[in-house]
Amino acid sequence: MKRYQICCIGAGYVGGPTMSMIAYQCPHIDVTVVDISQARIDSWNSPSGDLPIYEPGLRELVLSVRDRNLFFSMELDEAIENADMIFVAVNTPTKMSGLGAGRAADLTRWELSARRIAAVATTPKIVVEKSTVPIRTAEAIASVLTASGRTHFSILSNPEFLAEGTAIQDLQNPDRVLIGTNTEDPCSVEAMNVLVDIYSHWVPRNRILTTNVWSSELSKLVANSCLAQRVSTINAVSEICEATGADIDEVANAVGLDKRIGVKFLKASIGFGGSCFQKDILSLVYLCESLGLDEVAEYFYWIVKLNDHQKERFVFRIIHGLFNTVTGKRITILGFAFKKDTGDTRESSAIEVCRRLLHENAILSIYDPKVQSSQILSDLGHCTRLDPLELNQHVSIYADPYEACNQSHALVVCTEWDLFKELDFERIYCQMEKPAFAFDGRNILPHERMKSLGFVVYGIGKPL
Ligand code: NAD
Ligand code: UGA
């Protein structure tokens, strides 16, 4: 009997981990992940398990199922034609030009994928919207798919809620799985039941929610906006703390212990980063503007504005702390990824912090345990427009945190990597210029101990 075949278009942070989990949990299903990037596919197939993304537990998971019932391939058309179900997990970044530039999601890759499916498919397919997309995208995609008239397509919305750094545990034990479908169409309901069955292999049935397509699409944008809103709220409060002498961690704890509020996502920081929060909020803002809901649009837009403000004021604090000039001063950047346990730098707040410090003619020594040097240089080249020669004169990247701290005027923590808490600060203090400053953008360093060693320590929302 023919085994059930799943294809996923897009072998990125979502496509790779989600398909690995399905393959692991459903040995009776064959899963093929395709991409247009040869380098990415080669890396997923790397014999040594040198995968294109770092995610705790992912390597073990992939190696346990790869070439058993999980395959990574460049043969897009073959995978589409063979598939019973096709997930689309391509990137949907913010549009950079044209109508809706700076706000709307760019659906070019999604539409290209849909056109490819329409051109190739000759047997009925269930097409699953895994990428985060604006509301009513499924409807638009349906018209592209059905235009060829060659076969029948059922479209489902199945947004992904995993967070990077905890992707495998989030996939293994999700708070909920959301499946949106056209409840009035029996074929769509049948398709939905097939997807429910797949998830039921490891997710309790009461955590698999089924809704109409538009509720599902909108819920994804709202979930990210709510999470980001908490971060912007606590970051706004951190500014009040700095102005009044309250301590942000004490306030967050006191507020979060109210069960109606909850303790999670109340960690003050240099601002949220990552490829999704800002893009999804802007997509929601664009939707509201398009609907003429100006006050609602403005409400959500302020989450992003406050985030920009938090990054800016962190850099101002560094400059003011260093006697109003950082020109020619060596500053150590600890962490470049947008959060710990990932090598992803997309929209990382560290990029903006570095850009502003370079603009002030600082000399940067950067250390991150998982981000490649080439990625750091590419991000900084892109945001500063400095050529590689100029960049090399102002930026050095180290593979060892102690070397990165040598002869530095200030440490700046941008990512909350656990290893930063355990550094030998006595050794670091001896290596640094005096006075030795530490600007802790994540409030993870041992502030009191460092102060007793002689450091001048600034935390976010902390009394001076
Ligand atoms: P990504 O950039 O890591 O991966 C997307 C992949 O799609 C890339 O490898 C790209 O080469 C490939 N691709 C693009 N166009 C293609 C095409 N026409 N044919 C074949 N492959 C193509 O992106 P990601 O982080 O995995 O995000 C994918 C989607 O999932 C986005 O909509 C995002 O908002 C959403 N999402 C992301 C996360 C996350 O943690 N990163 C979590 C939930 C949802
Ligand atoms: C986020 C959501 O948490 C996921 O549910 C969602 O699926 C995903 O976006 C997506 O749609 O892409 P992710 O961006 O991977 O996941 O990571 P988060 O843990 O949400 O962190 C986002 C940013 O907020 C990071 O820069 C993090 O450092 C920051 N953050 C988070 C804080 O500054 N404080 C907090 O309390 C929490």
Side-chain angles (χ1 to χ4, degrees):
M1 204 176 100
K2 183 179 174 274
R3 284 162 62 85
Y4 198 78
Q5 302 290 322
I6 288 181
C7 156
C8 175
I9 304 180
Y13 283 86
V14 167
T18 49
M19 292 304 119
S20 304
M21 184 57 73
I22 290 180
Y24 175 75
Q25 300 288 356
C26 304
H28 58 289
I29 296 178
D30 287 338
V31 182
T32 304
V33 191
V34 292
D35 204 287
I36 39 169
S37 161
Q38 180 80 57
R40 266 213 162 164
I41 292 297
D42 288 350
S43 187
W44 282 109
N45 281 325
S46 125
S48 59
D50 191 12
L51 305 183
I53 60 176
Y54 171 70
E55 190 62 54
L58 176 64
R59 185 173 177 275
E60 296 73 10
L61 182 67
V62 169
L63 293 184
S64 73
V65 285
R66 197 177 65 187
D67 299 330
R68 180 190 81 175
N69 64 329
L70 175 68
F71 309 92
F72 294 95
S73 162
M74 291 293 292
E75 303 302 328
L76 205 79
D77 291 357
E78 188 186 324
I80 290 172
E81 178 53 345
N82 286 342
D84 300 296
M85 179 179 279
I86 304 170
F87 285 81
V88 183
V90 296
N91 36 336
T92 50
T94 305
K95 259 184 106 170
M96 296 313 286
S97 59
L99 194 67
R103 289 273 210 282
D106 180 351
L107 294 176
T108 313
R109 295 163 191 80
W110 226 115
E111 190 178 327
L112 279 173
S113 305
R115 287 187 185 280
R116 199 73 230 142
I117 295 169
V120 171
T122 55
T123 53
K125 311 283 177 205
I126 299 172
V127 177
V128 186
E129 199 178 64
K130 194 47 136 172
S131 303
T132 305
V133 290
I135 183 166
R136 294 211 174 260
T137 298
E139 201 173 51
I141 294 304
S143 54
V144 170
L145 287 172
T146 48
S148 75
R150 287 205 296 175
T151 186
H152 181 267
F153 296 100
S154 304
I155 325 277
L156 301 175
S157 159
N158 174 220
E160 183 49 60
F161 294 100
L162 69 79
E164 289 176 32
T166 53
I168 302 308
Q169 81 205 53
D170 295 342
L171 288 168
Q172 174 74 46
N173 189 23
D175 287 347
R176 79 306 208 182
V177 166
L178 182 56
I179 303 174
T181 192
N182 176 359
T183 41
E184 280 158 26
D185 169 21
C187 285
S188 299
V189 174
E190 202 179 304
M192 179 195 78
N193 288 333
V194 176
L195 189 54
V196 168
D197 266 2
I198 291 173
Y199 280 113
S200 299
H201 278 85
W202 76 100
V203 180
R205 183 63 187 83
N206 61 0
R207 282 197 234 156
I208 304 176
L209 310 183
T210 52
T211 64
N212 78 37
V213 179
W214 307 292
S215 300
S216 170
E217 289 174 337
L218 183 60
S219 302
K220 174 62 198 177
L221 297 184
V222 173
N224 272 358
S225 301
C226 285
L227 290 168
Q229 182 202 40
R230 285 173 71 91
V231 179
S232 276
T233 299
I234 204 68
N235 282 341
V237 174
S238 75
E239 191 167 11
I240 306 177
C241 287
E242 286 164 34
T244 57
D247 180 311
I248 191 65
D249 287 333
E250 291 177 355
V251 174
N253 188 41
V255 171
L257 282 174
D258 183 327
K259 287 196 188 63
R260 293 168 302 172
I261 298 171
V263 287
K264 292 186 181 164
F265 266 75
L266 284 181
K267 185 74 185 154
S269 66
I270 48 171
F272 58 76
S275 60
C276 294
F277 274 2
Q278 176 167 305
K279 130 178 121 60
D280 293 347
I281 294 167
L282 293 175
S283 177
L284 190 59
V285 168
Y286 186 68
L287 170 76
C288 297
E289 286 171 349
S290 314
L291 295 170
L293 309 176
D294 294 342
E295 290 80 2
V296 186
E298 204 178 333
Y299 172 75
F300 284 111
Y301 189 58
W302 268 96
I303 301 172
V304 175
K305 276 192 87 165
L306 269 165
N307 199 48
D308 292 340
H309 172 66
Q310 186 74 353
K311 290 182 258 189
E312 182 181 56
R313 77 181 194 85
F314 182 64
V315 177
F316 286 172
R317 210 169 195 221
I318 297 172
I319 297 168
H320 292 320
L322 293 176
F323 315 112
N324 287 322
T325 176
V326 292
T327 300
K329 288 181 180 163
R330 185 171 294 281
I331 297 182
T332 304
I333 305 292
L334 292 175
F336 199 80
F338 82 97
K339 65 186 281 197
K340 72 171 180 176
D341 292 336
T342 178
D344 193 353
T345 64
R346 291 178 292 177
E347 302 293 337
S348 176
S349 298
I351 298 175
E352 178 61 5
V353 169
C354 290
R355 185 190 70 78
R356 285 177 175 272
L357 290 174
L358 287 170
H359 189 65
E360 298 280 336
N361 292 315
I363 309 290
L364 302 184
S365 302
I366 304 178
Y367 169 78
D368 187 287
K370 287 292 174 198
V371 181
Q372 310 275 342
S373 307
S374 54
Q375 185 63 52
I376 296 176
L377 291 173
S378 149
D379 288 337
L380 294 181
H382 195 250
C383 72
T384 58
R385 300 191 190 284
L386 291 173
D387 64 41
L389 204 67
E390 288 172 303
L391 206 54
N392 275 327
Q393 286 167 352
H394 291 90
V395 177
S396 307
I397 298 163
Y398 293 87
D400 175 84
Y402 295 100
E403 279 178 31
C405 294
N406 214 10
Q407 294 186 312
S408 175
H409 287 83
L411 312 180
V412 173
V413 176
C414 288
T415 314
E416 73 281 23
W417 286 103
D418 288 335
L419 71 92
F420 296 155
K421 301 176 195 168
E422 312 297 334
L423 291 172
D424 179 347
F425 289 103
E426 204 164 346
R427 175 176 164 194
I428 290 175
Y429 184 76
C430 293
Q431 291 171 234
M432 288 178 66
E433 299 292 331
K434 309 295 178 316
F437 289 88
F439 299 90
D440 185 357
R442 298 289 187 161
N443 288 345
I444 53 158
L445 301 182
H447 293 188
E448 293 314 313
R449 188 152 58 83
M450 289 176 75
K451 283 179 191 168
S452 70
L453 288 171
F455 278 98
V456 181
V457 182
Y458 292 83
I460 301 275
K462 293 285 179 183
L464 292 183

